[in-house]
Amino acid sequence: MLSVRIGFSPLNDAALVVLAEALGFYSAEGLDVSLSREANWSNIRDKLSYGLLDAAHVLATLPLARGLGLGPAIGHIIAPMALGANGNSVVISSKLKEVFEGLGASTLLESARALRMVIQHRRAVSEGKVTLAIPFNYSPHHFVLRHWLAAGGIDPDRQVQWVVLPPSRMADHLRDGVIDGFCSGSPWPQMAELNGDGVVLFSDPAFWTLKPEKVLAVRGTWGEDNPQAVVALTRALLRAGQWAVKAENADDLARLLSADLYVRAPLEAVQAALATGGAGLILDPQTATFPWISHAKWFIGQFVRWGLTEDNHDFDAVARRIYRPDLWRQAAEPLGLALPIDDEKDEGGADVNWKVRARPHDIVMPPNALFDGGVFRVHRG
């Protein structure tokens, strides 16, 4: 068996990575996997860079940041699959929630506009800026919050203070009044709410019903040396997804994730996040694991929008060098999954179920809509 070192962050959306170990899918694919529970995304990034990890559960933006020249410039990373969709929540202080309710804010747009009024009031009385926590600068959490704030007329660079914290510590800082809110992966937002440290304002599905979030990252040189192992690793994770989507496995999934070896969180918090109306995590291998080039381009667009990179890159080339739909297809075909014909799709604009062209049959997809009605359209030649 080939030895593989895989890192993961203690979050519910590491489900496929830990399930594949617990259920024996890695060994069934000829892989001797050792998992490494990591404290933060910087650790994972650096260990991938220096060859201490061969693969990892990472933010969908992390390999793209590397491809755009942000962060350590050692080596490159490829992403042969997504590890699901959604899974994050935004938590605010109870005091801020009361203000929003007093202003009649019941939608995401209304809450962003209400926050703008809070910011204006604090400035008028010489109070500090609204402070929001994220787990990593180049993260989907950061882009979600910025997109939401901007929709309400707030300048995220000038009117908000940003801090980076480990998700498991964010609730403590919210309770102590150090921050006003945070965005992180589940189950930590749900744990904060259960402990009375804050209130969940919205979760990923309210922002984007089919939001990309985490991917499997593979160290480029390891992947080049072991191309069949990359496919085998991807297939093991897809098999984990096939197990995870079965309703009869829901309780076992929650118990497994809550274990000390993996997420190390109260079962009640894990279950709250996985339940209907929770963080909206989708683990379906057919609809939520394909590494869409359009996802990569949307994220790259956010890097440009917020001044994190210049717009002089060949974005199509960057996206296709990192996101690898070809490897997903190789892994998925023996499992009987339908294979998307295109590598890109429109992001947003689908309020109801819709279909993706695929063989041997089209794929019925869940709604794919952004809260502000925006649509990121692809241009097919």
Side-chain angles (χ1 to χ4, degrees), residues 204-372:
D204 275 348
F207 173 80
W208 184 351
T209 54
L210 196 59
K211 176 183 156 288
E213 175 56 28
K214 302 295 192 306
V215 297
L216 171 67
V218 174
R219 186 162 50 87
T221 52
W222 185 86
E224 291 163 3
D225 291 341
N226 303 281
Q228 292 309 307
V230 176
V231 174
L233 175 57
T234 303
R235 187 177 298 120
L237 295 169
L238 292 174
R239 293 176 65 182
Q242 290 178 318
W243 183 93
V245 296
K246 295 178 181 178
E248 63 266 29
N249 294 330
D251 290 342
D252 287 339
L253 171 61
R255 280 193 292 269
L256 181 72
L257 286 171
S258 69
D260 286 351
L261 191 61
Y262 299 127
V263 177
R264 198 179 299 164
L267 178 60
E268 185 181 8
V270 173
Q271 290 174 325
L274 294 176
T276 302
L281 179 62
I282 301 174
L283 298 172
D284 178 19
Q286 184 67 88
T287 61
T289 65
F290 190 77
W292 292 100
I293 298 299
S294 46
H295 283 169
K297 289 182 178 179
W298 188 87
F299 280 127
I300 291 172
Q302 298 301 303
F303 279 100
V304 174
R305 178 184 182 184
W306 302 114
L308 299 173
T309 191
E310 301 295 329
D311 62 359
N312 56 358
H313 298 273
D314 183 337
F315 293 141
D316 186 74
V318 171
R320 293 181 184 280
R321 186 166 62 247
I322 297 167
Y323 278 37
R324 295 291 302 276
D326 57 315
L327 297 175
W328 186 96
R329 292 187 181 96
Q330 289 180 51
E333 188 167 21
L335 300 180
L337 296 174
L339 310 181
I341 292 171
D342 302 306
D343 292 341
E344 302 184 67
K345 58 183 173 62
D346 289 349
E347 302 300 345
D351 295 321
V352 297
N353 289 352
W354 55 293
K355 290 184 178 180
V356 160
R357 297 193 311 153
R359 59 179 178 83
H361 56 78
D362 290 348
I363 302 167
V364 178
M365 298 287 288
N368 183 17
L370 279 91
F371 79 101
D372 59 0

Side-chain angles (χ1 to χ4, degrees), residues 135-171:
F136 194 69
N137 276 328
Y138 308 132
S139 71
H141 316 78
H142 200 178
F143 294 152
V144 164
L145 287 174
R146 282 177 169 270
H147 193 122
W148 170 63
L149 294 170
I154 298 168
D155 184 333
D157 288 309
R158 297 182 179 179
Q159 296 180 291
V160 174
Q161 180 73 40
W162 299 96
V163 296
V164 175
L165 295 170
S168 60
R169 298 296 308 280
M170 290 179 178

Side-chain angles (χ1 to χ4, degrees), residues 124-136:
V125 298
S126 300
E127 290 185 356
K129 289 183 178 180
V130 165
T131 301
L132 299 176
I134 52 175
F136 194 69

